[in-house]
Amino acid sequence: MKHGARNDIPAEVVAIKRGSVMAQVEAQIVGTDYRVTSVMTVDSLDELGLSEGDRVNVIAKAVNVLLVKP
C-alpha cells in the first residue's frame, strides 16, 4: 500500500474492543512495551480481517501534533 506518511512501524494487535459501529484496536510496537490505539469503523475492521495476534504496520499521519510542557 502506497502512502505519504514518513513512518511505517511494525506492530502486533494485542486487543480489539468491538462496538456496534466503531472498534478500538490496540497494537504493541514490535520489540518494545509501547502500544498504539486506533479507532475505526466495524466495517473497516471486518474488511481488514484483523484479529488479536495479527502483525500490522502502524502508520501515523496527522495534520496537527500538539506538544504540551508538563
Side-chain angles (χ1 to χ4, degrees):
M1 177 174 158
K2 191 163 180 135
H3 55 78
R6 294 186 179 263
N7 53 62
D8 204 334
I9 305 163
E12 181 180 327
V13 175
V14 293
I16 297 174
K17 291 182 186 173
R18 187 184 185 104
S20 58
V21 176
M22 300 297 290
Q24 178 178 310
V25 180
E26 188 174 357
Q28 184 165 338
I29 296 174
V30 172
T32 74
D33 292 330
Y34 295 110
R35 292 185 175 198
V36 177
T37 301
S38 178
V39 177
M40 65 186 71
T41 63
V42 170
D43 289 345
S44 293
L45 179 69
D46 291 342
E47 188 175 310
L48 288 169
L50 290 179
S51 300
E52 288 184 23
D54 283 353
R55 293 286 223 159
V56 294
N57 284 7
V58 174
I59 300 170
K61 187 164 183 169
V63 176
N64 296 307
V65 176
L66 304 177
L67 299 179
V68 179
K69 190 172 181 178

